[in-house]
Structure formats: structure tokens, C-alpha cells
Amino acid sequence: MSTEKEKTSSPSPSVELCKGFNGLEKVLLRESRGSSAEVYLYGGHVTSWKNDHGEELLFLSNKAIFKPPKAIRGGIPLCFPQFGGLGTLDQHGFARNRFWTIDDDPPPFPTNTLSKAFVDLILKPTEEDTKIWPHSFEFRLRIALGPGGDLMLTSRIRNTNSEGKPFSFTFAYHTYFSVSDISEVRVEGLETLDYLDNLQNKERFTEQGDALTFESEVDKIYLSTPTKIAIIDHEKKRTFVVRKDGLPDAVVWNPWDKKAKAMADFGDDEYKHMLCVEAAAIEKPITLKPGEEWKGRLELSAVPSSYRSGQLDPQRVLLGS
């Protein structure tokens, strides 16, 4: 879908509103060194993140349906106010299948980013939303591209109930990473942690001491996770670093072959080329009193993996800055 205009990106950071699939509006963010991201207003949904070589870093299904009210399969769906089926709402709540608006006048944003390529979005409940979830809120989302190509998402959720009612919610950035081959990927930073296994009725287990590798379906919620997690793609010699703040949990998901075949908006073999590692707040729901605000931040970077005696050295990534 790229146009000539998109290809000849300007040397300065830019933010452009244009039309995407099925005429849905999207915002294109471009950094001066060539990295880019695209965000659909439908769902406040990041669907693309490319490095300065133009390589796609997020997985988006070839069968993704860009047609409301269906959520977009891939990229970074926002799960709010409910993660998964943990409540009375539809799977993963409703933020990912609502139309967001561009917030031209966001409140002051304390941030240490030097980014000039960013967009502020806002979601407020409709009358329909308050019928299924009777709370008043403002969900502000800033999506920014750093000068080095890092992708930063900051969510600020405020309770705007006037009648003194608190509310609770669960949340996740349901990030789909693009990987060369799932069997060649490992995840560092979740060793020895407790997790809830969604494939075994959310029973609680403790992870073994080795890095996570993948040879079958996985759907786990890791608890009290570190602020930094590394996803090492051996074949691409690339490491994704997930940094998070305000998000104690981390979901790791790959549907594998049987579930992949059962999903209409997911290719039968696409499970081989994706892995979800999701910064989340699930085990202990966030509770906000009227006027209170919660902030959850995600920063993604992709760095070349370094080899040391035949093994990748993710510790440098995990223990570094």
C-alpha cells in the first residue's frame, strides 16, 4: 500500500494522517533516520513498526480484517478494560474495536523522549460502552518514535466518574513480534518466575531456570516480571528489548498449528513467524478512584544480537541500560 510519497520520506521527522485499508484513517510516523510506524485510529492500533532499513518488526496477519467491529489481527492491540475473558465483557474488552480521535490538546506530558514523531490519541466511552461497562473514563495514548527507532507507547487512564464511583480494570499491550522462525526464538528475563497457565485453567506454576523456547502452543501470564524482557531471534541475529513501567505482568502467547487453523483471520502457518510478549496488568486489577490516573508505558527496541562462544549474550541487553 505504500505510495511514491511514502517512499521518498523527508529527512525531518514527520506525522501524516492518511487513509489505510478499507478507507480507515491511519497516522504515519517517520523518524529522520528512516524508521517508521503506522497507527490506525480504529483501535488506537499500531499496525507497523519498521527499522531504518525498512524491515517490519511487528507481525500483522496476511488475513487481518480491517473491518469494524472486528479487531485487527497483529500489531499492538490494546486490551482494556478487560484482558482476555477475565470478566463480563467480550474478549479483551472494547478499546481495540472503537474509533479513537486525535487529541490536539493533551495535558502536559512529562516525558524524557526527544521524539518529534508522535501522535496523541484519546478514547472516551460512548453510550453503548457505558451500558456494558458503566464507568466514565478518559484513555489517552501517546505513540512515539524515538530518534534511534525505538517505539514508545504511553497509556494514561483517568477515572472521570462524577458520582464518586471507583472502577477496576485489567490491561495489556498485546504486542505481536515478527520472528523468522518460532523454533529459533528464545525469551530471556522470565526464568524462575511464577505464571498462570491459560491452557491449564489458569493453574499457577513456576518457570524453570532456562530461557523460554517454543515447540508447542503457549499461553502463559508471568507474574511480577522485571521491567526488561529480551526476545532473541537467532536466525535474524536480532534481539527485541521490551521495557515496561506500571505493567507488572507479561503474557507469552503463540497459538501453534491447531489454533492457527481455527482462526479465520490468521494464516495456517503464520504461527511460525510471530510471538506475542505482552506487557500487562492482569493478576492484580488496577483500581482508580474518581480523579485518579494510571500510567502504563511500553518501550520497544530492536538491536543486533551479539554472539559469544556460539551463544547469544542477552545478559548484556537485560543488564544494560
Side-chain angles (χ1 to χ4, degrees):
M1 283 185 58
S2 72
T3 61
E4 283 306 312
K5 190 177 173 194
E6 283 181 37
K7 283 177 191 163
T8 55
S9 59
S10 61
S12 59
S14 68
V15 181
E16 180 191 346
L17 182 65
C18 55
K19 291 274 197 279
F21 287 111
N22 292 334
L24 294 172
E25 284 190 311
K26 68 177 181 180
V27 176
L28 287 173
L29 305 177
R30 288 194 202 87
E31 247 305 322
S32 49
R33 291 182 204 166
S35 59
S36 67
E38 67 175 35
V39 187
Y40 275 74
L41 297 191
Y42 176 63
H45 197 133
V46 177
T47 53
S48 173
W49 169 42
K50 292 179 181 175
N51 63 17
D52 51 13
H53 302 298
E55 296 169 317
E56 182 57 66
L57 303 171
L58 297 177
F59 167 85
L60 183 72
S61 173
N62 286 324
K63 293 189 167 185
I65 299 164
F66 286 78
K67 204 176 253 182
K70 180 76 180 161
I72 299 166
R73 173 71 67 189
I76 311 180
L78 297 169
C79 304
F80 171 85
Q82 174 186 301
F83 176 80
L86 300 171
T88 57
L89 300 173
D90 287 346
Q91 175 85 353
H92 291 322
F94 50 73
R96 64 184 187 145
N97 38 30
R98 294 293 182 272
F99 282 95
W100 293 57
T101 51
I102 292 175
D103 188 359
D104 292 318
D105 189 25
F109 208 98
T111 176
N112 57 3
T113 177
L114 300 166
S115 172
K116 294 187 175 58
F118 66 88
V119 64
D120 287 294
L121 303 180
I122 186 166
L123 179 71
K124 295 179 183 179
T126 63
E127 271 186 50
E128 291 304 304
D129 296 336
T130 53
K131 284 178 189 166
I132 57 171
W133 200 66
H135 303 291
S136 184
F137 67 87
E138 285 180 354
F139 185 156
R140 295 176 191 275
L141 173 67
R142 172 170 288 192
I143 299 150
L145 261 183
D150 294 358
L151 181 66
M152 292 159 281
L153 286 81
T154 307
S155 290
R156 296 188 291 173
I157 296 168
R158 179 177 291 276
N159 181 339
T160 54
N161 280 332
S162 53
E163 65 278 16
K165 252 193 334 184
F167 64 67
S168 298
F169 63 91
T170 49
F171 179 93
Y173 291 110
H174 197 314
T175 310
Y176 287 74
F177 291 97
S178 173
V179 298
S180 50
D181 178 351
I182 188 64
S183 64
E184 295 287 323
V185 169
R186 75 175 202 262
V187 176
E188 302 262 347
L190 302 176
E191 302 86 344
T192 73
L193 296 182
D194 283 5
Y195 64 88
L196 308 177
D197 194 335
N198 285 323
L199 303 179
Q200 302 198 48
N201 295 318
K202 296 193 173 50
E203 201 177 325
R204 192 176 183 123
F205 297 94
T206 302
E207 190 53 74
Q208 33 74 24
D210 300 324
L212 274 58
T213 54
F214 304 94
E215 50 196 29
S216 60
E217 183 185 357
V218 61
D219 189 354
K220 297 174 178 177
I221 303 168
Y222 288 85
L223 311 172
S224 303
T225 59
T227 55
K228 200 181 295 185
I229 299 165
I231 303 153
I232 298 111
D233 187 334
H234 290 254
E235 208 169 291
K236 280 235 171 78
K237 297 186 173 59
R238 174 190 292 150
T239 296
F240 290 110
V241 185
V242 177
R243 293 177 178 87
K244 57 194 183 56
D245 187 44
L247 297 156
D249 305 322
V251 182
V252 177
W253 179 68
N254 184 293
W256 222 253
D257 52 350
K258 281 190 186 142
K259 288 244 172 91
K261 287 186 173 76
M263 291 189 280
D265 60 348
F266 194 93
D268 288 359
D269 288 327
E270 286 189 325
Y271 74 92
K272 294 174 182 172
H273 306 296
M274 55 72 66
L275 178 65
C276 287
V277 177
E278 312 167 29
I282 299 169
E283 187 197 20
K284 297 179 181 123
I286 309 292
T287 298
L288 294 178
K289 294 180 189 143
E292 285 186 334
E293 183 178 87
W294 169 84
K295 188 162 104 170
R297 190 166 176 276
L298 173 68
E299 183 176 337
L300 304 177
S301 50
V303 296
S305 302
S306 61
Y307 279 88
R308 188 174 288 178
S309 65
Q311 286 296 307
L312 290 165
D313 180 23
Q315 286 308 314
R316 198 170 54 81
V317 170
L318 288 175
L319 301 174
S321 63

